[in-house]
């Protein structure tokens, strides 16, 4: 099987359901950003500090593929059965957030991203997650987007922030507080 089809050579692509849209379409931008996020989650998962969290991060990657399938579907034409996000997926993130936050010092100020390369990768993933969430909300303003997609992305960005703090703590890296000039 060839991986190239040449059907996109004129700047269009097909949604699940057959509808052709420009590759610059908001729906494509949305699920493309989720794909980008998934790649960054893979990078975060590959960090040695996350060896004990690899299964949870892999689960998150699987949910992002589920989300991508949902976002890549034409809500008016697709008859294809796609996997579902579930409330339990959000609850898993919440349990993980609570467990990590219970093990790190209380947050007393905004923190600057960085402190260790592994933590920085996670901060980039968090920012891409926020962008994916903004795009999904914008898409929802003009077409159907499953509400759980937006909820999951919102919670995932919180999870990634908690993970940044937990990684910083475990790596004994400096958590640099933002000290605004006044």
């Amino acid at each position: 099987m060839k991986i190239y089809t040449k059907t996109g050579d004129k700047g269009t692509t097909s949604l699940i359901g057959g509808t052709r849209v420009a590759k610059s379409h908001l729906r494509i931008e949305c699920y493309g950003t989720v794909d980008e996020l998934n790649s960054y989650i893979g990078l975060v998962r590959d960090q040695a500090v996350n060896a004990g969290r690899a299964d949870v991060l892999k689960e998150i990657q699987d949910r992002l593929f589920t989300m991508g399938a949902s976002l890549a579907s034409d809500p008016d034409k697709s008859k294809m059965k796609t996997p579902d996000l579930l409330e339990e997926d959000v609850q898993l993130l919440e349990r993980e957030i609570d467990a990590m936050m219970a093990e790190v010092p209380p947050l007393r100020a905004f923190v600057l991203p960085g402190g260790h390369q592994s933590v920085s990768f996670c901060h980039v993933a968090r920012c891409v997650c926020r962008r994916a969430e903004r795009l999904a909300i914008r898409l929802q303003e003009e077409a159907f987007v499953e509400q759980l997609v937006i909820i999951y992305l919102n919670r995932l960005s919180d999870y990634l922030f908690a993970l940044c703090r937990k990684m910083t703590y475990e790596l004994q890296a400096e958590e640099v507080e933002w000290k605004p000039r006044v």
Side-chain angles (χ1 to χ4, degrees):
M1 178 177 144
K2 293 184 178 183
I3 65 165
Y4 57 89
T5 62
K6 300 183 183 181
T7 59
D9 289 353
K10 293 184 180 170
T12 63
T13 191
S14 290
L15 299 175
I16 297 173
T19 304
R20 291 205 65 83
V21 297
K23 290 184 177 183
S24 61
H25 190 280
L26 179 58
R27 185 169 290 280
I28 307 307
E29 183 70 22
C30 195
Y31 76 72
T33 302
V34 169
D35 187 36
E36 180 184 355
L37 171 60
N38 205 334
S39 295
Y40 277 112
I41 298 292
L43 181 62
V44 170
R45 182 173 52 100
D46 289 343
Q47 302 305 300
V49 67
N50 288 323
R53 287 180 282 271
D55 288 344
V56 171
L57 291 164
K58 186 177 173 197
E59 180 76 17
I60 290 167
Q61 288 186 284
D62 186 82
R63 295 296 74 80
L64 290 173
F65 257 86
T66 297
M67 186 181 305
S70 173
L71 291 167
S73 298
D74 182 334
D76 298 323
K77 293 189 179 176
S78 178
K79 306 276 189 268
M80 185 175 150
K81 175 81 172 126
T82 56
D84 291 329
L85 278 176
L86 303 173
E87 182 62 37
E88 294 84 48
D89 299 321
V90 175
Q91 292 168 357
L92 170 67
L93 294 176
E94 291 172 349
R95 284 191 305 274
E96 293 294 318
I97 291 166
D98 292 343
M100 288 187 288
M101 294 306 286
E103 296 178 8
V104 298
L107 188 62
R108 302 197 189 289
F110 288 105
V111 294
L112 299 177
H116 188 283
Q117 185 176 37
S118 295
V119 177
S120 295
F121 290 147
C122 195
H123 275 292
V124 171
R126 177 185 57 78
C127 292
V128 173
C129 186
R130 285 289 190 205
R131 177 165 30 100
E133 179 186 11
R134 291 189 304 272
L135 288 167
I137 291 167
R138 195 164 78 202
L139 180 60
Q140 190 182 51
E141 292 170 356
E142 62 184 57
F144 176 78
V145 173
E146 181 64 48
Q147 185 62 31
L148 208 48
V149 166
I150 292 168
I151 293 168
Y152 189 86
L153 286 170
N154 184 43
R155 208 67 80 252
L156 180 56
S157 65
D158 294 335
Y159 168 87
L160 291 169
F161 180 75
L163 181 56
C164 288
R165 297 207 64 232
K166 180 71 169 149
M167 291 168 63
T168 298
Y169 181 76
E170 290 174 352
L171 292 164
Q172 299 178 350
E174 180 183 9
E175 190 169 64
V176 180
E177 291 185 0
W178 177 52
K179 296 186 184 343
R181 276 189 310 208
V182 286

